Amino acid sequence: MVHKITCLIKQSILIIGCLLSVLFPGMARQSDDLAAYPLPAEVQLELDGRLEEDFWQQAEVATAFRQQEPMEGQLASEQTEVKVVFDEKNLYIGVRLYDSQPDQIKAFQRRRDADLSTDDVFAFILDTYNDQRSGFYFEINPVGLMGDGILRTGQGSTLNRDWNGIWRAWVSIDDQGWSAEIRIPFMTLNFDPSDEVWGINFLRTVRRKNETSLWVGHQRNQGIERPQNAGKLTGLRGINQGLGLEAIPYAIVSQSSAKDVPETATRQTFTYNAGGELNYNITPNLKAGITVNTDFAETEVDNRQVNLTRFPLVFPERRDFFLQGSNVFQFAPSSNPNPYFSRRIGLEGGNPIPIKHGARLIGRIKETDVGFLQVRTGSEGSIPGEHFTVGRVLQNFASESTIGVIYTRRDTDGDSLPVRETFGADLSLSTSRFLDDNNLQFQAFFVGHTPTFYEESSNLMDRSVRGFRVNFPNQPWDAHVSYREFGEQYAPAVGFVPRNGFRRLQPTFTFNPLIDKSKAIRELSWQYYFEYLMFMDWRPATINHNLRFLGIRLETGDILYLNVHHNYENLNFIFDVLRDGRYLIQEGIYQNNGYSLEIQTAPFRKIGGNLTFENMGFWTGRQVNLEMDLFVRPFAGLNLTGSYLFSQVRLQEGAFDTHLFRLISSYDFSPWVSVNFNIQYDNVTNMLGTNSRFIWVIDPGNTLFIVHNHNWQKFEDRFDVLETQSTVKLAYTFRF
């Protein structure tokens, strides 16, 4: 009896231990370590991309990279060696990337933050808090391009590539491959000076082989964007961020002309302004900043879209002030309740509203991430000035889980609208140790807001959203199921809602096996996507079945997807397809079937592109969509991409075609000097627009922009100029 009781106790302890390891995995694995080498004070640095100085020979080396693809776990076919040294002000990374065919190294891109799916890549992350849930991401290519971002896990891995840190890379190509020296000022990073250990990991891509290898975390459900699978950088002593004071003033001069309709006299204006930001590190982990006369003249224009749906389109944020630290404000991103959408501030209908001043506080207090934003906009025409407030607190617990709250407030000058406030809470439970080494995530959220108008309902459930999501993001199996409810009157004043008044159940299952023994096929893919969307009274509103019955990724990197679709729509209002009164879809039930084909060529080619063809039932008729992108990269620095989006719509109510053309061209003389040109035209608005940008990075953090916008509209058989604007802006960064 005693023996049985003892065995039962041991089994119970084992079961409890397994459950705890799943729910609160903690330090389940001893990571690989790399010691940083402290530079002697007398060392003279000459950074040129060649690791010839004696101190590089003294530093410890990280090597033995292993493949994530194509042969998971095998040693990389082209090995890599990484070393880390530091002094009081900077961290230096030296890397030697051996290549048996250096004449085959791929390097097309030079412009900062360009898409590197075309090139050979060396990337690394720095988990400066050593908390396995956040980090700084950096990447370079063989001709010196620099890309970076802010990484955060806990609600799924997200990489905010819009962060631009101040750092520098030098590269060199020789008969052994290529090498690089990278300098990152400690002022660029947030960290705890008392912590001598950071998380670190390295990734390399050999593009011609489509081979990806990592120092640690090489499994397909791990990777460079998961700091919980990184190694450790040790020995960081005597480092500091200086006073933590940063000033970024700017000066701007602009000339513009505009007219409203043909034959109207042109209005000429000439303006000049100045402003800037002042940032201060209250602690090494907490940064406060203020902005005055915030200006976004250098921002890229939005990519134009033709909207044939019932719902508004969302455009990404491109303004630097709102992008910096934006990952802190992310709220249940997989479910998209969007209680905070930064484009609600300082923009109206896509047109800028002056931002008089603002304040920002972003960082970490112990285990708590915090974000605060206060912005005052001025009046513009009939649009009154407003006060905007956004607050976010995210508490980290266990090893990969979080619980957070968000608050927004919008106060419009005058008394026509009440003060509108939004409150939300979200929970994320995550582990990377489910059933040994799988990822499992659970998310839940609730958001509600005060009435948008004085006469609105006082029922909070009508003005709120709630939901949950279970996610199993692994390879080869990837699956999730989500449920959410959006109230009839949910419309957060500083948020974005394309659709409300529904309940939605949405599971997806994907199987992506690697084909190890094939010389032609790298991966096969099958996916089933099901969406069951109901009105609030549980009647079906939208039902979608999407089946990818064949997906092929070749060893060359080319991709082919074949899909079939079924759609059910219960339309409860008259829908104006082009919003011009010509094509009115009546209330009723509509069921449609269709298919689609997607082809993507390998991005490292000099000439290639993407093609998507869809033939689908559309309300009372049928819609054929064709989207084509053609890129040409004849040599490093020159990138030409032409896009054509075509829709052929045939309805009982009538027929029409839409066309959208886009040409994006750029030439990067170096990573520091570039010229970009964007031209767009569509036959729905009949507007032709160009955006030309010259960018000169005088030094990291100091940039000159020259921007010219030119817009025409077609009236009958000719194009009339609507607006031109030329702007020169100089921004400088001073650090202390």
Side-chain angles (χ1 to χ4, degrees), residues 118-138:
T118 59
D119 294 8
D120 285 21
V121 179
F122 172 71
F124 61 97
I125 63 169
L126 297 174
D127 176 7
T128 56
Y129 292 124
N130 192 28
D131 62 1
Q132 294 84 54
R133 60 173 78 240
S134 63
F136 295 90
Y137 174 90
F138 302 89

Side-chain angles (χ1 to χ4, degrees), residues 297-554:
E298 75 279 10
T299 303
E300 292 182 77
V301 296
D302 292 319
N303 285 336
R304 197 173 299 176
Q305 303 178 52
V306 175
N307 186 7
L308 300 181
T309 74
R310 293 168 286 164
F311 312 110
L313 299 175
V314 61
F315 291 89
E317 179 61 84
R318 296 179 181 273
R319 299 169 296 171
D320 186 67
F321 177 79
F322 294 102
L323 291 172
Q324 297 298 318
S326 60
N327 58 304
V328 174
F329 294 100
Q330 289 182 338
F331 182 92
S334 299
S335 299
N336 298 319
N338 290 325
Y340 167 56
F341 181 55
S342 59
R343 285 178 65 109
R344 292 293 187 210
I345 305 174
L347 287 172
E348 186 68 34
N351 299 314
I353 303 298
I355 294 180
K356 297 298 185 181
H357 50 77
R360 180 177 58 198
L361 178 69
I362 293 176
R364 172 172 295 189
I365 303 173
K366 294 185 178 179
E367 293 300 315
T368 306
D369 293 315
V370 297
F372 174 81
L373 192 67
Q374 179 70 43
V375 175
R376 168 62 177 175
T377 62
S379 60
E380 182 75 7
S382 61
I383 301 172
E386 295 185 288
H387 291 276
F388 294 87
T389 304
V390 183
R392 174 74 160 141
V393 177
L394 197 65
Q395 178 64 46
N396 303 304
F397 69 93
S399 64
E400 301 178 39
S401 301
T402 62
I403 184 170
V405 295
I406 193 169
Y407 168 77
T408 73
R409 184 179 188 271
R410 184 171 185 173
D411 185 5
T412 304
D413 293 350
D415 58 1
S416 61
L417 292 172
V419 174
R420 289 149 289 168
E421 298 176 291
T422 300
F423 308 85
D426 58 337
L427 170 70
S428 175
L429 303 175
S430 301
T431 177
S432 55
R433 297 291 177 266
F434 178 70
L435 299 178
D436 189 26
D437 60 355
N438 291 293
N439 304 309
L440 183 66
Q441 301 160 355
F442 171 81
Q443 301 172 16
F445 67 92
F446 179 90
V447 181
H449 60 77
T450 58
T452 304
F453 300 98
Y454 287 110
E455 65 274 10
E456 264 185 12
S457 166
S458 60
N459 185 353
L460 178 61
M461 298 304 286
D462 290 340
R463 293 179 277 102
S464 67
V465 299
R466 49 272 175 194
F468 68 87
R469 178 185 178 96
V470 179
N471 198 22
F472 184 76
N474 296 281
Q475 294 291 346
W477 289 100
D478 188 332
H480 77 262
V481 60
S482 65
Y483 177 80
R484 67 198 70 167
E485 298 180 352
F486 278 58
E488 295 277 3
Q489 297 179 8
Y490 178 66
V494 197
F496 177 82
V497 186
R499 183 175 187 172
N500 53 15
F502 67 86
R503 309 174 193 269
R504 179 176 181 263
L505 176 68
Q506 199 277 293
T508 298
F509 304 93
T510 306
F511 181 52
N512 298 312
L514 288 176
I515 310 302
D516 296 335
K517 297 181 180 180
S518 172
K519 294 183 179 180
I521 298 176
R522 168 73 61 87
E523 181 184 62
L524 296 178
S525 177
W526 293 271
Q527 183 183 84
Y528 175 60
Y529 170 99
F530 174 63
E531 179 183 40
Y532 192 84
L533 192 146
M534 300 158 280
F535 297 114
M536 296 306 289
D537 61 4
W538 301 97
R539 290 181 298 117
T542 297
I543 303 174
N544 284 309
H545 298 270
N546 297 330
L547 175 66
R548 181 192 301 161
F549 68 88
L550 179 62
I552 301 175
R553 180 159 62 100
L554 302 178

Side-chain angles (χ1 to χ4, degrees), residues 66 294 468 714:
R66 293 188 177 273
T294 313
F468 68 87
K714 186 177 182 181

Side-chain angles (χ1 to χ4, degrees), residues 592-595 615-624 648-651:
N592 291 293
N593 299 300
Y595 62 91
N615 189 315
M616 185 74 189
F618 187 68
W619 302 115
T620 61
R622 204 149 191 91
Q623 179 182 21
V624 174
Q648 180 190 76
V649 178
R650 300 293 180 262
L651 302 170

Side-chain angles (χ1 to χ4, degrees), residues 10-247:
K10 289 181 178 180
Q11 292 174 357
S12 300
I13 292 173
L14 179 62
I15 292 172
I16 292 172
C18 291
L19 290 173
L20 289 175
S21 68
V22 168
L23 295 175
F24 307 101
M27 297 298 294
R29 174 182 62 86
Q30 179 62 44
S31 300
D32 292 14
D33 292 348
L34 176 66
Y37 176 74
L39 288 175
E42 66 275 9
V43 167
Q44 297 295 317
L45 293 177
E46 183 178 351
L47 300 176
D48 54 10
R50 301 179 180 88
L51 281 64
E52 298 173 342
E53 294 82 1
D54 290 340
F55 63 82
W56 287 121
Q57 313 313 315
Q58 304 298 320
E60 190 173 307
V61 61
T63 188
F65 282 44
R66 293 188 177 273
Q67 295 180 41
Q68 187 177 53
E69 286 194 20
M71 303 297 292
E72 181 180 331
Q74 298 294 314
L75 284 174
S77 65
E78 310 286 353
Q79 267 304 323
T80 306
E81 296 180 352
V82 188
K83 301 177 180 182
V84 179
V85 303
F86 69 98
D87 57 27
E88 182 183 13
K89 296 182 179 180
N90 301 287
L91 186 77
Y92 304 91
I93 294 180
V95 55
R96 159 56 73 178
L97 303 106
Y98 293 100
D99 198 310
S100 57
Q101 295 178 284
D103 59 324
Q104 297 298 310
I105 291 174
K106 302 296 182 183
F108 293 103
Q109 308 291 352
R110 286 178 176 163
R111 179 168 44 88
R112 180 157 185 166
D113 290 325
D115 179 11
L116 285 183
S117 59
T118 59
D119 294 8
D120 285 21
V121 179
F122 172 71
F124 61 97
I125 63 169
L126 297 174
D127 176 7
T128 56
Y129 292 124
N130 192 28
D131 62 1
Q132 294 84 54
R133 60 173 78 240
S134 63
F136 295 90
Y137 174 90
F138 302 89
E139 63 184 7
I140 62 171
N141 75 349
V143 292
L145 176 146
M146 303 189 309
D148 49 19
I150 298 288
L151 182 66
R152 175 155 190 91
T153 64
Q155 303 190 56
S157 179
T158 59
L159 178 59
N160 174 16
R161 289 181 174 269
D162 298 305
W163 175 77
N164 285 319
I166 295 179
W167 57 291
R168 184 74 186 269
W170 293 261
V171 296
S172 175
I173 299 178
D174 55 32
D175 58 2
Q176 296 186 71
W178 59 292
S179 60
E181 293 177 308
I182 300 167
R183 180 183 66 202
I184 304 173
F186 288 123
M187 287 184 180
T188 297
L189 309 172
N190 294 330
F191 57 89
D192 184 350
S194 64
D195 192 345
E196 299 180 1
V197 179
W198 293 359
I200 195 168
N201 201 4
F202 313 105
L203 171 144
R204 181 187 180 181
T205 298
V206 181
R207 191 62 64 188
R208 69 180 182 278
K209 300 181 178 181
N210 284 318
E211 177 181 307
T212 300
S213 59
L214 291 103
W215 179 45
V216 293
H218 61 267
Q219 297 180 24
R220 293 182 70 206
N221 62 345
Q222 297 176 341
I224 193 67
E225 295 184 15
R226 291 181 55 82
Q228 55 266 59
N229 302 122
K232 301 298 179 186
L233 180 67
T234 63
L236 296 171
R237 303 181 183 90
I239 61 178
N240 68 75
Q241 297 175 304
L243 295 177
L245 183 63
E246 179 183 71

